[in-house]
Amino acid sequence: MATISSHTLDSVDGSHAGGIKVELLRLDSSGTRTRLFVSQTDPGGRLVEEVAVTSEHLGARFEIVFSTGAYFADHPCATFSERILEEVVVRFRIPAIEAKIHIPLMLSPNSYSVWWSE
């Protein structure tokens, strides 16, 4: 099984961004999206989920979706009167059946920074 993990941080106030809905989808070559999980970050902003990946899915595209708009709707920011981002979507490939993919995310109502680490 592959492991998908994240640590989300609220860059407006420097806190952990807990309670963010997170969804993982596999994108098949036909364009079909298969939902693999729906979860949420824990109070410390962390997410760890195992995903069954077979050899036929190696090289497939995956999409992780963070529902940041809903998070900031529940965490008002006086400095941001207008919020335009609803979701952060990251597309990636899983290179091995036992891969460990860690995708940290720093977010604000209108921007984000994301990277990959092993």
Side-chain angles (χ1 to χ4, degrees), residues 2-5 23-27 36-37 51 57 59-66 89-95 101-103 116:
T3 302
I4 309 296
S5 63
E23 185 174 15
L24 181 71
L25 304 136
R26 185 179 62 244
L27 310 176
L36 302 177
F37 70 71
V51 178
H57 296 128
R61 293 177 2 173
F62 291 82
E63 183 175 276
I64 192 164
V65 181
F66 297 86
V89 179
V90 180
R91 290 193 182 130
F92 60 95
R93 298 187 188 283
I94 296 179
I101 307 291
H102 184 66
I103 303 172
W116 171 65

Side-chain angles (χ1 to χ4, degrees), residues 26-77:
R26 185 179 62 244
L27 310 176
D28 295 328
S29 58
S30 66
T32 302
R33 285 176 153 73
T34 303
R35 181 180 291 144
L36 302 177
F37 70 71
V38 175
S39 189
Q40 71 177 21
T41 58
D42 69 15
R46 296 191 180 272
L47 171 88
V48 178
E49 293 286 341
E50 289 190 334
V51 178
V53 177
T54 64
S55 58
E56 71 183 75
H57 296 128
L58 293 179
R61 293 177 2 173
F62 291 82
E63 183 175 276
I64 192 164
V65 181
F66 297 86
S67 297
T68 58
Y71 170 80
F72 281 109
D74 290 341
H75 297 82
C77 304

Side-chain angles (χ1 to χ4, degrees), residues 11-12 29 31 60 64 75 82 95-96 104-105 113:
S11 63
V12 174
S29 58
I64 192 164
H75 297 82
E82 197 66 39
L105 175 66
S113 179

